[in-house]
């Protein structure tokens, strides 16, 4: 695996627990890099994503990344979406995947053997409603992942006017995409409410929905770690 916007190595940690080795990671902040160098000493640090060339990176089966969410979040004051300087870095993730796959095609690989075979994107649920008009940003996210395989494809906005919290796209037997919103309160060891979109793309097959929706991967039905509360975290008079 290759990890973009690596932070303190969340994706490499998850990967290591499932027998997946992370060959390289892209991060620019000093403290997160120090953390991952401690826990993943053999992982190559490749630096700023805007300076990476997909054809120069060691080829990997999976490229994962959670591009900056500040401009997509509902907590953002301006909420610039993908047009924002930080969240717009999502397009760099698309570029790196494209460049690596194109280089692998030049090496003679075809069909499901072109690397990376899988792409993973993580972000805030606000991405589902961000953009002008609303919902446009997530439409662009879907379209950009699809265009890695299909140059001129167009993804329409949902007829209901909003994106659901889960969905899938299947194109024949050679491409699949699925997304799902998870909440950490339903996972052991994370006593907090933190909702995130996870989007998985299989560029060479139909496994993306299986990866996100196959219940065999969830052996227990965990109850929430925290109960819903009805009080303020601090007296209202203490601040805004």
């Amino acid at each position: 695996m290759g990890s973009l916007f690596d932070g303190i190595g969340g994706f490499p940690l998850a990967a290591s627990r499932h027998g997946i080795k992370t060959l390289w990671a892209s991060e620019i902040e000093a403290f997160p890099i120090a953390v991952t160098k401690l826990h993943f000493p053999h992982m190559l640090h490749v630096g700023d994503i805007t300076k990476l060339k997909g054809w120069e990176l060691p080829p990997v089966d999976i490229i994962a990344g959670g591009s900056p969410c500040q401009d997509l979040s509902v907590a953002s004051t301006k909420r610039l979406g993908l047009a924002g300087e930080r969240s717009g870095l999502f397009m760099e993730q698309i570029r790196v995947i494209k460049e690596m796959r194109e280089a692998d095609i030049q090496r003679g690989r075809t069909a499901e053997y072109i690397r990376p075979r899988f792409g993973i994107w993580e972000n805030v649920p606000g991405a589902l409603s961000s953009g002008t008009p609303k919902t446009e940003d997530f439409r662009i996210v879907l379209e950009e992942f699809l265009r890695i395989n299909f140059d001129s494809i167009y993804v329409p906005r949902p007829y209901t006017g909003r994106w659901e919290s889960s969905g899938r796209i299947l194109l024949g037997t050679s491409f699949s995409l699925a997304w799902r919103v998870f909440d950490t309160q339903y996972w052991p060891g994370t006593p907090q409410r933190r909702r995130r979109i996870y989007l998985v793309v299989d560029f060479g097959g139909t496994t993306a929905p299986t990866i996100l929706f196959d219940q065999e991967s969830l052996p227990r039905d965990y109850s929430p770690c925290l109960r819903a509360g009805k009080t303020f975290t601090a007296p209202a008079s203490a601040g805004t």
Side-chain angles (χ1 to χ4, degrees):
M1 188 181 78
S3 178
L4 300 173
F5 314 106
D6 186 58
I8 58 172
F11 275 116
L13 176 61
S16 69
R17 292 178 175 178
H18 294 275
I20 300 169
K21 183 178 180 180
T22 304
L23 297 187
W24 49 262
S26 170
E27 176 57 55
I28 60 173
E29 297 295 335
F31 177 74
I33 291 173
V35 171
T36 52
K37 281 186 175 180
L38 175 65
H39 294 286
F40 302 99
H42 302 296
M43 187 171 70
L44 176 67
H45 288 269
V46 294
D48 187 344
I49 187 174
T50 64
K51 299 177 182 177
L52 300 182
K53 301 291 185 273
W55 60 82
E56 295 178 347
L57 292 169
V60 290
D61 301 297
I62 307 165
I63 289 184
S67 53
C69 65
Q70 291 93 333
D71 299 313
L72 296 168
S73 173
V74 294
S76 173
T77 54
K78 295 183 179 180
R79 210 174 181 206
L80 298 175
L82 292 180
E85 180 179 357
R86 291 167 294 185
S87 294
L89 289 171
F90 160 75
M91 296 302 295
E92 297 292 334
Q93 182 171 351
I94 295 294
R95 177 186 60 79
V96 170
I97 293 173
K98 280 183 178 178
E99 290 175 351
M100 183 175 291
R101 285 180 59 84
E102 288 169 358
D104 234 20
I105 292 171
Q106 293 297 317
R107 297 184 189 106
R109 286 179 170 253
T110 59
E112 70 268 26
Y113 301 106
I114 302 170
R115 295 166 294 181
R117 164 76 183 266
F118 299 96
I120 302 174
W121 180 70
E122 173 268 337
N123 221 282
V124 293
L128 296 172
S129 59
S130 174
T132 305
K134 286 186 176 181
T135 74
E136 176 68 4
D137 282 344
F138 193 63
R139 188 196 72 78
I140 292 173
V141 168
L142 296 177
E143 192 169 88
E144 290 298 328
F145 274 113
L146 281 158
R147 286 184 173 179
I148 291 174
N149 276 31
F150 310 98
D151 291 339
S152 59
I153 200 165
Y154 172 76
V155 175
R157 283 190 292 273
Y159 70 91
T160 60
R162 65 184 181 89
W163 295 103
E164 299 297 334
S165 59
S166 64
R168 64 179 183 175
I169 297 173
L170 297 173
L171 293 178
T173 59
S174 62
F175 182 93
S176 58
L177 178 154
W179 71 91
R180 182 177 180 180
V181 174
F182 287 97
D183 191 330
T184 60
Q185 68 175 310
Y186 296 105
W187 296 85
T190 53
Q192 61 180 182
R193 299 187 188 96
R194 185 179 291 271
R195 299 173 71 242
R196 289 293 184 269
I197 299 172
Y198 284 88
L199 184 151
V200 174
V201 187
D202 180 353
F203 296 107
T206 61
T207 67
T210 302
I211 291 169
L212 279 185
F213 303 127
D214 185 354
Q215 292 305 300
E216 289 184 2
S217 64
L218 302 174
R220 297 181 181 87
D221 182 15
Y222 293 104
S223 58
C225 295
L226 294 176
R227 293 184 178 180
K230 294 184 178 181
T231 60
F232 294 107
T233 56
S237 61
T240 57

